[in-house]
């Protein structure tokens, strides 16, 4: 039975929603975050305030950097599982700073695995990424596809993470599920991500940049569906022994860029004002999740349509 978990990246977009769900289920949470300056610390502090209010004594928090192995020793509590959500995010920024991504994602994950070993914790759910699939032509993306052609440093760090975790599963019996997330959006979304960036510009009557001809597609997945998938994976890994699985968590319904932009303009009741620019390096043409494995293993079924999610995001943004 899971009573307490360690969640990395706790103050971020996805992990803060995840922790709210865990606390609502009566599970105690140890959260860690280093407040990476990729975006404003104030936004993460707001997320933490929500968690502290919701969790009370069931939520504890450590500001520490998982790249610094010795900092993890500050955590004296025991825990039944690790939900490793932390990582340096962003495909395009990774092209300019590969060492930063190698440090945060690969070294950081190595330190988490070693810390689990020291703590005799045998259950892990890891946040991987659909970026691993690169420019795979066949759709939808299935977990058994060969993924040997990443097209960004971010993607190759996430593939390396899956290999690290498999090694520790093999050597030290750490039961693991690696979840490949597909374009997560929703309340608290990072300000650099397209949907929030577009909303912010459109509501200020400023032009938005569209890279390519608008036919690229993303399998936009609402954050509540993502965290439901993480919780399902946690229960699965807890209930089973000798587990190492790679599982897609997406919406199984890609949306073309031009449709995404049109939906946001319509939600804002604004006239389109678009700068058309060339495709950027590192961008993939489409992401499209085959979610049948997640449904089979732990009953995952996305519930939020893109239109519903956009409207919910807009309502949240209007309160900020």
């Amino acid at each position: 039975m899971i009573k307490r978990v360690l969640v990395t990246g706790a103050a971020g977009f996805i992990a803060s929603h995840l922790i709210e769900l865990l606390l609502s289920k009566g599970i105690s949470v140890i959260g860690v975050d280093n407040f990476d300056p990729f975006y404003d610390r104030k936004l993460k502090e707001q997320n933490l305030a929500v968690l502290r209010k919701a969790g009370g004594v069931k939520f504890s928090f450590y500001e520490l950097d998982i790249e610094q192995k010795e900092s993890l020793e500050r955590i004296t509590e025991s825990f039944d599982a690790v939900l490793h959500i932390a990582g340096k995010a962003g495909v395009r920024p990774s092209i300019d700073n590969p060492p930063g991504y190698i440090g945060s994602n690969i070294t950081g994950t190595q330190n988490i695995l070693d810390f689990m070993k020291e703590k005799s914790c045998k259950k892990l759910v890891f946040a991987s990424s659909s970026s691993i699939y690169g420019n795979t032509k066949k759709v939808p993306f299935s977990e058994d596809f060969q993924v040997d052609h990443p097209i960004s440093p971010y993607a190759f760090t996430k593939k390396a993470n899956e290999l690290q975790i498999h090694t520790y599963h093999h050597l030290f019996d750490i039961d693991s599920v690696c979840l490949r997330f597909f374009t997560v959006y929703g309340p608290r979304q990072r300000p650099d991500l397209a949907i929030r960036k577009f909303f912010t510009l459109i509501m200020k009557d400023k032009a938005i940049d569209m890279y390519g001809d608008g036919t690229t597609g993303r399998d936009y997945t609402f954050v509540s569906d993502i965290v439901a998938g993480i919780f399902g994976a946690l229960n699965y890994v807890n209930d089973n022994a000798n587990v190492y699985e790679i599982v897609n968590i997406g919406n199984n319904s890609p949306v073309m860029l031009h449709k995404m932009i049109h939906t946001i303009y319509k939600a804002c009741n604004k006239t389109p004002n678009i700068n058309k620019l060339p495709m950027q390096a590192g961008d993939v043409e489409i992401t499209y999740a085959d979610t049948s494995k997640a449904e089979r293993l732990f009953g995952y079924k996305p519930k939020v349509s893109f239109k519903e999610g956009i409207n919910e995001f807009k309502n949240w943004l209007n309160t900020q």
Side-chain angles (χ1 to χ4, degrees), residues 188-229:
R188 302 182 201 152
Q189 187 177 33
R190 298 196 328 258
D192 64 293
L193 293 175
I195 288 175
R196 184 165 185 175
K197 189 188 294 185
F198 286 175
F199 261 109
T200 302
L201 291 169
I202 290 167
M203 291 165 83
K204 292 178 180 177
D205 293 316
K206 294 183 178 180
I208 65 169
D209 293 337
M210 183 180 79
Y211 295 96
D213 63 3
T215 60
T216 56
R218 295 292 179 270
D219 199 354
Y220 293 104
T221 313
F222 199 68
V223 66
S224 61
D225 286 327
I226 289 286
V227 300

mmCIF file of all heavy atoms in Angstrom, residues 188-229:
data_model
loop_
_atom_site.group_PDB
_atom_site.id
_atom_site.type_symbol
_atom_site.label_atom_id
_atom_site.label_comp_id
_atom_site.label_asym_id
_atom_site.label_seq_id
_atom_site.Cartn_x
_atom_site.Cartn_y
_atom_site.Cartn_z
ATOM 1 N N ARG A 188 -1.894 26.487 -15.276
ATOM 2 C CA ARG A 188 -0.516 26.518 -14.754
ATOM 3 C C ARG A 188 0.528 26.179 -15.810
ATOM 4 O O ARG A 188 1.698 26.026 -15.499
ATOM 5 C CB ARG A 188 -0.330 25.587 -13.547
ATOM 6 C CG ARG A 188 -1.246 25.879 -12.378
ATOM 7 C CD ARG A 188 -0.950 24.930 -11.216
ATOM 8 N NE ARG A 188 -2.097 24.874 -10.325
ATOM 9 C CZ ARG A 188 -2.409 23.848 -9.576
ATOM 10 N NH1 ARG A 188 -1.647 22.766 -9.578
ATOM 11 N NH2 ARG A 188 -3.463 23.883 -8.794
ATOM 12 N N GLN A 189 0.111 26.053 -17.065
ATOM 13 C CA GLN A 189 1.061 25.736 -18.132
ATOM 14 C C GLN A 189 2.195 26.751 -18.159
ATOM 15 O O GLN A 189 2.005 27.933 -17.902
ATOM 16 C CB GLN A 189 0.332 25.752 -19.483
ATOM 17 C CG GLN A 189 1.175 25.279 -20.645
ATOM 18 C CD GLN A 189 0.382 25.239 -21.942
ATOM 19 O OE1 GLN A 189 -0.505 26.062 -22.153
ATOM 20 N NE2 GLN A 189 0.677 24.296 -22.804
ATOM 21 N N ARG A 190 3.396 26.254 -18.492
ATOM 22 C CA ARG A 190 4.570 27.122 -18.588
ATOM 23 C C ARG A 190 4.312 28.250 -19.581
ATOM 24 O O ARG A 190 3.705 28.037 -20.630
ATOM 25 C CB ARG A 190 5.812 26.343 -19.042
ATOM 26 C CG ARG A 190 6.251 25.265 -18.116
ATOM 27 C CD ARG A 190 7.679 24.803 -18.416
ATOM 28 N NE ARG A 190 8.089 24.873 -19.807
ATOM 29 C CZ ARG A 190 8.163 23.837 -20.644
ATOM 30 N NH1 ARG A 190 7.814 22.619 -20.238
ATOM 31 N NH2 ARG A 190 8.583 23.992 -21.886
ATOM 32 N N PRO A 191 4.806 29.460 -19.291
ATOM 33 C CA PRO A 191 4.527 30.603 -20.171
ATOM 34 C C PRO A 191 5.198 30.524 -21.532
ATOM 35 O O PRO A 191 4.802 31.230 -22.463
ATOM 36 C CB PRO A 191 5.061 31.803 -19.374
ATOM 37 C CG PRO A 191 5.990 31.229 -18.362
ATOM 38 C CD PRO A 191 5.494 29.860 -18.039
ATOM 39 N N ASP A 192 6.216 29.654 -21.682
ATOM 40 C CA ASP A 192 6.900 29.543 -22.973
ATOM 41 C C ASP A 192 6.176 28.634 -23.948
ATOM 42 O O ASP A 192 6.504 28.614 -25.143
ATOM 43 C CB ASP A 192 8.322 29.017 -22.764
ATOM 44 C CG ASP A 192 8.337 27.593 -22.201
ATOM 45 O OD1 ASP A 192 7.913 27.440 -21.034
ATOM 46 O OD2 ASP A 192 8.757 26.658 -22.909
ATOM 47 N N LEU A 193 5.206 27.869 -23.480
ATOM 48 C CA LEU A 193 4.541 26.893 -24.346
ATOM 49 C C LEU A 193 3.475 27.570 -25.216
ATOM 50 O O LEU A 193 2.877 28.569 -24.834
ATOM 51 C CB LEU A 193 3.932 25.776 -23.511
ATOM 52 C CG LEU A 193 4.968 24.890 -22.805
ATOM 53 C CD1 LEU A 193 4.285 23.884 -21.900
ATOM 54 C CD2 LEU A 193 5.857 24.169 -23.813
ATOM 55 N N ALA A 194 3.235 26.967 -26.381
ATOM 56 C CA ALA A 194 2.499 27.655 -27.446
ATOM 57 C C ALA A 194 1.115 28.125 -27.026
ATOM 58 O O ALA A 194 0.747 29.276 -27.294
ATOM 59 C CB ALA A 194 2.395 26.742 -28.665
ATOM 60 N N ILE A 195 0.338 27.270 -26.386
ATOM 61 C CA ILE A 195 -1.045 27.646 -26.094
ATOM 62 C C ILE A 195 -1.099 28.852 -25.168
ATOM 63 O O ILE A 195 -1.826 29.823 -25.426
ATOM 64 C CB ILE A 195 -1.818 26.444 -25.518
ATOM 65 C CG1 ILE A 195 -2.080 25.423 -26.639
ATOM 66 C CG2 ILE A 195 -3.134 26.890 -24.872
ATOM 67 C CD1 ILE A 195 -2.725 24.134 -26.185
ATOM 68 N N ARG A 196 -0.309 28.831 -24.106
ATOM 69 C CA ARG A 196 -0.327 29.980 -23.196
ATOM 70 C C ARG A 196 0.252 31.220 -23.868
ATOM 71 O O ARG A 196 -0.270 32.333 -23.707
ATOM 72 C CB ARG A 196 0.457 29.659 -21.919
ATOM 73 C CG ARG A 196 0.377 30.799 -20.897
ATOM 74 C CD ARG A 196 0.826 30.374 -19.531
ATOM 75 N NE ARG A 196 0.628 31.440 -18.563
ATOM 76 C CZ ARG A 196 0.852 31.324 -17.266
ATOM 77 N NH1 ARG A 196 1.262 30.163 -16.765
ATOM 78 N NH2 ARG A 196 0.667 32.331 -16.443
ATOM 79 N N LYS A 197 1.308 31.037 -24.631
ATOM 80 C CA LYS A 197 1.928 32.168 -25.330
ATOM 81 C C LYS A 197 0.935 32.789 -26.308
ATOM 82 O O LYS A 197 0.792 34.021 -26.376
ATOM 83 C CB LYS A 197 3.180 31.681 -26.067
ATOM 84 C CG LYS A 197 4.026 32.799 -26.654
ATOM 85 C CD LYS A 197 5.139 32.248 -27.533
ATOM 86 C CE LYS A 197 6.148 31.466 -26.739
ATOM 87 N NZ LYS A 197 7.293 31.026 -27.580
ATOM 88 N N PHE A 198 0.227 31.942 -27.066
ATOM 89 C CA PHE A 198 -0.738 32.455 -28.038
ATOM 90 C C PHE A 198 -1.877 33.205 -27.344
ATOM 91 O O PHE A 198 -2.262 34.300 -27.778
ATOM 92 C CB PHE A 198 -1.302 31.316 -28.883
ATOM 93 C CG PHE A 198 -0.351 30.774 -29.920
ATOM 94 C CD1 PHE A 198 -0.702 29.666 -30.677
ATOM 95 C CD2 PHE A 198 0.876 31.364 -30.152
ATOM 96 C CE1 PHE A 198 0.159 29.156 -31.643
ATOM 97 C CE2 PHE A 198 1.749 30.864 -31.110
ATOM 98 C CZ PHE A 198 1.387 29.760 -31.858
ATOM 99 N N PHE A 199 -2.420 32.608 -26.302
ATOM 100 C CA PHE A 199 -3.501 33.281 -25.574
ATOM 101 C C PHE A 199 -3.052 34.655 -25.081
ATOM 102 O O PHE A 199 -3.773 35.650 -25.220
ATOM 103 C CB PHE A 199 -3.939 32.434 -24.369
ATOM 104 C CG PHE A 199 -5.179 31.621 -24.609
ATOM 105 C CD1 PHE A 199 -5.119 30.250 -24.739
ATOM 106 C CD2 PHE A 199 -6.422 32.228 -24.682
ATOM 107 C CE1 PHE A 199 -6.262 29.492 -24.946
ATOM 108 C CE2 PHE A 199 -7.578 31.483 -24.888
ATOM 109 C CZ PHE A 199 -7.492 30.112 -25.018
ATOM 110 N N THR A 200 -1.865 34.726 -24.505
ATOM 111 C CA THR A 200 -1.364 35.976 -23.933
ATOM 112 C C THR A 200 -1.238 37.050 -25.007
ATOM 113 O O THR A 200 -1.654 38.204 -24.799
ATOM 114 C CB THR A 200 -0.010 35.742 -23.248
ATOM 115 O OG1 THR A 200 -0.160 34.750 -22.232
ATOM 116 C CG2 THR A 200 0.512 37.026 -22.621
ATOM 117 N N LEU A 201 -0.690 36.680 -26.164
ATOM 118 C CA LEU A 201 -0.527 37.647 -27.248
ATOM 119 C C LEU A 201 -1.871 38.056 -27.855
ATOM 120 O O LEU A 201 -2.117 39.243 -28.100
ATOM 121 C CB LEU A 201 0.370 37.056 -28.334
ATOM 122 C CG LEU A 201 1.850 36.877 -27.962
ATOM 123 C CD1 LEU A 201 2.563 36.051 -29.011
ATOM 124 C CD2 LEU A 201 2.529 38.237 -27.790
ATOM 125 N N ILE A 202 -2.728 37.081 -28.090
ATOM 126 C CA ILE A 202 -4.018 37.366 -28.720
ATOM 127 C C ILE A 202 -4.875 38.272 -27.855
ATOM 128 O O ILE A 202 -5.523 39.212 -28.344
ATOM 129 C CB ILE A 202 -4.751 36.044 -29.046
ATOM 130 C CG1 ILE A 202 -4.020 35.306 -30.188
ATOM 131 C CG2 ILE A 202 -6.210 36.296 -29.423
ATOM 132 C CD1 ILE A 202 -4.468 33.873 -30.385
ATOM 133 N N MET A 203 -4.857 38.013 -26.551
ATOM 134 C CA MET A 203 -5.677 38.840 -25.643
ATOM 135 C C MET A 203 -5.149 40.267 -25.536
ATOM 136 O O MET A 203 -5.856 41.168 -25.113
ATOM 137 C CB MET A 203 -5.773 38.163 -24.281
ATOM 138 C CG MET A 203 -6.610 36.873 -24.331
ATOM 139 S SD MET A 203 -6.429 35.796 -22.900
ATOM 140 C CE MET A 203 -7.556 36.526 -21.752
ATOM 141 N N LYS A 204 -3.895 40.470 -25.950
ATOM 142 C CA LYS A 204 -3.312 41.818 -25.980
ATOM 143 C C LYS A 204 -3.352 42.422 -27.387
ATOM 144 O O LYS A 204 -2.734 43.453 -27.646
ATOM 145 C CB LYS A 204 -1.857 41.771 -25.495
ATOM 146 C CG LYS A 204 -1.714 41.433 -24.017
ATOM 147 C CD LYS A 204 -0.235 41.356 -23.624
ATOM 148 C CE LYS A 204 -0.080 41.014 -22.152
ATOM 149 N NZ LYS A 204 1.359 40.866 -21.780
ATOM 150 N N ASP A 205 -4.081 41.736 -28.301
ATOM 151 C CA ASP A 205 -4.207 42.181 -29.693
ATOM 152 C C ASP A 205 -2.859 42.268 -30.400
ATOM 153 O O ASP A 205 -2.641 43.140 -31.260
ATOM 154 C CB ASP A 205 -4.938 43.534 -29.780
ATOM 155 C CG ASP A 205 -6.396 43.419 -29.367
ATOM 156 O OD1 ASP A 205 -7.055 42.451 -29.802
ATOM 157 O OD2 ASP A 205 -6.862 44.265 -28.582
ATOM 158 N N LYS A 206 -1.956 41.353 -30.064
ATOM 159 C CA LYS A 206 -0.657 41.274 -30.728
ATOM 160 C C LYS A 206 -0.630 40.079 -31.679
ATOM 161 O O LYS A 206 -1.348 39.102 -31.486
ATOM 162 C CB LYS A 206 0.461 41.141 -29.698
ATOM 163 C CG LYS A 206 0.629 42.381 -28.820
ATOM 164 C CD LYS A 206 1.800 42.216 -27.863
ATOM 165 C CE LYS A 206 1.993 43.481 -27.035
ATOM 166 N NZ LYS A 206 3.144 43.340 -26.099
ATOM 167 N N ALA A 207 0.220 40.174 -32.702
ATOM 168 C CA ALA A 207 0.345 39.089 -33.675
ATOM 169 C C ALA A 207 1.036 37.878 -33.052
ATOM 170 O O ALA A 207 1.855 38.007 -32.136
ATOM 171 C CB ALA A 207 1.137 39.565 -34.887
ATOM 172 N N ILE A 208 0.708 36.685 -33.544
ATOM 173 C CA ILE A 208 1.383 35.470 -33.120
ATOM 174 C C ILE A 208 2.228 34.938 -34.277
ATOM 175 O O ILE A 208 1.959 35.215 -35.439
ATOM 176 C CB ILE A 208 0.394 34.389 -32.645
ATOM 177 C CG1 ILE A 208 -0.489 33.909 -33.807
ATOM 178 C CG2 ILE A 208 -0.463 34.900 -31.491
ATOM 179 C CD1 ILE A 208 -1.293 32.662 -33.482
ATOM 180 N N ASP A 209 3.268 34.179 -33.942
ATOM 181 C CA ASP A 209 4.130 33.562 -34.948
ATOM 182 C C ASP A 209 3.688 32.127 -35.198
ATOM 183 O O ASP A 209 3.534 31.345 -34.250
ATOM 184 C CB ASP A 209 5.585 33.564 -34.487
ATOM 185 C CG ASP A 209 6.168 34.965 -34.407
ATOM 186 O OD1 ASP A 209 5.651 35.864 -35.094
ATOM 187 O OD2 ASP A 209 7.147 35.155 -33.649
ATOM 188 N N MET A 210 3.490 31.779 -36.456
ATOM 189 C CA MET A 210 3.184 30.399 -36.839
ATOM 190 C C MET A 210 4.348 29.861 -37.668
ATOM 191 O O MET A 210 4.658 30.397 -38.737
ATOM 192 C CB MET A 210 1.893 30.318 -37.642
ATOM 193 C CG MET A 210 1.497 28.889 -38.009
ATOM 194 S SD MET A 210 -0.039 28.772 -38.950
ATOM 195 C CE MET A 210 0.544 29.225 -40.599
ATOM 196 N N TYR A 211 4.983 28.820 -37.160
ATOM 197 C CA TYR A 211 6.128 28.229 -37.851
ATOM 198 C C TYR A 211 5.641 27.109 -38.783
ATOM 199 O O TYR A 211 4.958 26.188 -38.356
ATOM 200 C CB TYR A 211 7.139 27.700 -36.846
ATOM 201 C CG TYR A 211 7.762 28.810 -36.017
ATOM 202 C CD1 TYR A 211 7.265 29.136 -34.761
ATOM 203 C CD2 TYR A 211 8.845 29.543 -36.507
ATOM 204 C CE1 TYR A 211 7.820 30.159 -34.010
ATOM 205 C CE2 TYR A 211 9.411 30.571 -35.769
ATOM 206 C CZ TYR A 211 8.895 30.882 -34.523
ATOM 207 O OH TYR A 211 9.450 31.903 -33.790
ATOM 208 N N GLY A 212 6.008 27.226 -40.063
ATOM 209 C CA GLY A 212 5.543 26.260 -41.052
ATOM 210 C C GLY A 212 4.207 26.669 -41.641
ATOM 211 O O GLY A 212 3.719 27.780 -41.431
ATOM 212 N N ASP A 213 3.592 25.737 -42.352
ATOM 213 C CA ASP A 213 2.345 26.058 -43.064
ATOM 214 C C ASP A 213 1.085 25.740 -42.263
ATOM 215 O O ASP A 213 -0.034 25.829 -42.781
ATOM 216 C CB ASP A 213 2.306 25.335 -44.409
ATOM 217 C CG ASP A 213 2.304 23.812 -44.267
ATOM 218 O OD1 ASP A 213 2.284 23.314 -43.122
ATOM 219 O OD2 ASP A 213 2.339 23.119 -45.306
ATOM 220 N N GLY A 214 1.263 25.354 -41.005
ATOM 221 C CA GLY A 214 0.107 25.087 -40.139
ATOM 222 C C GLY A 214 -0.369 23.658 -40.161
ATOM 223 O O GLY A 214 -1.344 23.316 -39.482
ATOM 224 N N THR A 215 0.297 22.802 -40.931
ATOM 225 C CA THR A 215 -0.154 21.410 -41.034
ATOM 226 C C THR A 215 0.562 20.467 -40.064
ATOM 227 O O THR A 215 0.266 19.272 -40.033
ATOM 228 C CB THR A 215 0.030 20.873 -42.470
ATOM 229 O OG1 THR A 215 1.411 20.930 -42.830
ATOM 230 C CG2 THR A 215 -0.801 21.689 -43.448
ATOM 231 N N THR A 216 1.525 20.985 -39.293
ATOM 232 C CA THR A 216 2.091 20.147 -38.242
ATOM 233 C C THR A 216 1.007 19.863 -37.205
ATOM 234 O O THR A 216 0.093 20.685 -36.999
ATOM 235 C CB THR A 216 3.291 20.829 -37.564
ATOM 236 O OG1 THR A 216 2.882 22.114 -37.066
ATOM 237 C CG2 THR A 216 4.453 20.994 -38.522
ATOM 238 N N GLY A 217 1.098 18.711 -36.562
ATOM 239 C CA GLY A 217 0.052 18.312 -35.615
ATOM 240 C C GLY A 217 0.621 17.890 -34.278
ATOM 241 O O GLY A 217 1.722 17.342 -34.206
ATOM 242 N N ARG A 218 -0.134 18.139 -33.230
ATOM 243 C CA ARG A 218 0.268 17.719 -31.886
ATOM 244 C C ARG A 218 -0.916 17.043 -31.194
ATOM 245 O O ARG A 218 -2.070 17.464 -31.325
ATOM 246 C CB ARG A 218 0.712 18.915 -31.031
ATOM 247 C CG ARG A 218 1.983 19.616 -31.522
ATOM 248 C CD ARG A 218 3.205 18.747 -31.378
ATOM 249 N NE ARG A 218 4.420 19.404 -31.864
ATOM 250 C CZ ARG A 218 4.865 19.332 -33.107
ATOM 251 N NH1 ARG A 218 4.173 18.645 -34.019
ATOM 252 N NH2 ARG A 218 5.983 19.940 -33.458
ATOM 253 N N ASP A 219 -0.588 16.011 -30.443
ATOM 254 C CA ASP A 219 -1.601 15.258 -29.702
ATOM 255 C C ASP A 219 -1.790 15.932 -28.341
ATOM 256 O O ASP A 219 -1.346 15.434 -27.318
ATOM 257 C CB ASP A 219 -1.133 13.805 -29.546
ATOM 258 C CG ASP A 219 -2.284 12.865 -29.206
ATOM 259 O OD1 ASP A 219 -3.398 13.355 -28.979
ATOM 260 O OD2 ASP A 219 -2.052 11.648 -29.162
ATOM 261 N N TYR A 220 -2.439 17.095 -28.358
ATOM 262 C CA TYR A 220 -2.602 17.892 -27.141
ATOM 263 C C TYR A 220 -3.381 17.106 -26.093
ATOM 264 O O TYR A 220 -4.476 16.608 -26.357
ATOM 265 C CB TYR A 220 -3.327 19.201 -27.452
ATOM 266 C CG TYR A 220 -2.520 20.137 -28.320
ATOM 267 C CD1 TYR A 220 -2.824 20.291 -29.675
ATOM 268 C CD2 TYR A 220 -1.450 20.854 -27.799
ATOM 269 C CE1 TYR A 220 -2.077 21.136 -30.482
ATOM 270 C CE2 TYR A 220 -0.699 21.706 -28.591
ATOM 271 C CZ TYR A 220 -1.015 21.842 -29.935
ATOM 272 O OH TYR A 220 -0.266 22.672 -30.722
ATOM 273 N N THR A 221 -2.799 17.028 -24.887
ATOM 274 C CA THR A 221 -3.387 16.223 -23.817
ATOM 275 C C THR A 221 -3.594 17.097 -22.584
ATOM 276 O O THR A 221 -2.640 17.704 -22.078
ATOM 277 C CB THR A 221 -2.477 15.031 -23.461
ATOM 278 O OG1 THR A 221 -2.057 14.384 -24.667
ATOM 279 C CG2 THR A 221 -3.209 14.043 -22.580
ATOM 280 N N PHE A 222 -4.836 17.167 -22.124
ATOM 281 C CA PHE A 222 -5.148 18.041 -20.988
ATOM 282 C C PHE A 222 -4.508 17.496 -19.721
ATOM 283 O O PHE A 222 -4.414 16.288 -19.520
ATOM 284 C CB PHE A 222 -6.667 18.160 -20.823
ATOM 285 C CG PHE A 222 -7.078 19.346 -20.000
ATOM 286 C CD1 PHE A 222 -6.889 20.632 -20.480
ATOM 287 C CD2 PHE A 222 -7.635 19.182 -18.749
ATOM 288 C CE1 PHE A 222 -7.266 21.739 -19.726
ATOM 289 C CE2 PHE A 222 -8.015 20.275 -17.983
ATOM 290 C CZ PHE A 222 -7.830 21.560 -18.469
ATOM 291 N N VAL A 223 -4.077 18.411 -18.866
ATOM 292 C CA VAL A 223 -3.266 18.020 -17.718
ATOM 293 C C VAL A 223 -3.994 17.063 -16.775
ATOM 294 O O VAL A 223 -3.373 16.182 -16.169
ATOM 295 C CB VAL A 223 -2.748 19.273 -16.970
ATOM 296 C CG1 VAL A 223 -3.895 20.059 -16.329
ATOM 297 C CG2 VAL A 223 -1.668 18.903 -15.958
ATOM 298 N N SER A 224 -5.315 17.173 -16.660
ATOM 299 C CA SER A 224 -6.041 16.251 -15.783
ATOM 300 C C SER A 224 -5.978 14.825 -16.306
ATOM 301 O O SER A 224 -5.941 13.857 -15.529
ATOM 302 C CB SER A 224 -7.502 16.692 -15.616
ATOM 303 O OG SER A 224 -8.174 16.701 -16.863
ATOM 304 N N ASP A 225 -5.957 14.663 -17.641
ATOM 305 C CA ASP A 225 -5.805 13.324 -18.221
ATOM 306 C C ASP A 225 -4.391 12.786 -17.971
ATOM 307 O O ASP A 225 -4.209 11.595 -17.682
ATOM 308 C CB ASP A 225 -6.108 13.351 -19.717
ATOM 309 C CG ASP A 225 -7.593 13.490 -20.016
ATOM 310 O OD1 ASP A 225 -8.413 12.968 -19.226
ATOM 311 O OD2 ASP A 225 -7.941 14.112 -21.035
ATOM 312 N N ILE A 226 -3.404 13.658 -18.087
ATOM 313 C CA ILE A 226 -2.025 13.245 -17.828
ATOM 314 C C ILE A 226 -1.862 12.754 -16.393
ATOM 315 O O ILE A 226 -1.301 11.679 -16.141
ATOM 316 C CB ILE A 226 -1.042 14.406 -18.106
ATOM 317 C CG1 ILE A 226 -0.953 14.676 -19.611
ATOM 318 C CG2 ILE A 226 0.339 14.119 -17.505
ATOM 319 C CD1 ILE A 226 -0.171 13.656 -20.408
ATOM 320 N N VAL A 227 -2.358 13.516 -15.426
ATOM 321 C CA VAL A 227 -2.150 13.116 -14.030
ATOM 322 C C VAL A 227 -2.970 11.872 -13.679
ATOM 323 O O VAL A 227 -2.540 11.061 -12.854
ATOM 324 C CB VAL A 227 -2.397 14.269 -13.035
ATOM 325 C CG1 VAL A 227 -1.453 15.426 -13.307
ATOM 326 C CG2 VAL A 227 -3.837 14.738 -13.042
ATOM 327 N N ALA A 228 -4.110 11.703 -14.323
ATOM 328 C CA ALA A 228 -4.863 10.457 -14.134
ATOM 329 C C ALA A 228 -4.041 9.274 -14.638
ATOM 330 O O ALA A 228 -4.031 8.191 -14.024
ATOM 331 C CB ALA A 228 -6.204 10.529 -14.861
ATOM 332 N N GLY A 229 -3.336 9.481 -15.762
ATOM 333 C CA GLY A 229 -2.470 8.432 -16.281
ATOM 334 C C GLY A 229 -1.308 8.126 -15.353
ATOM 335 O O GLY A 229 -0.947 6.958 -15.143
#
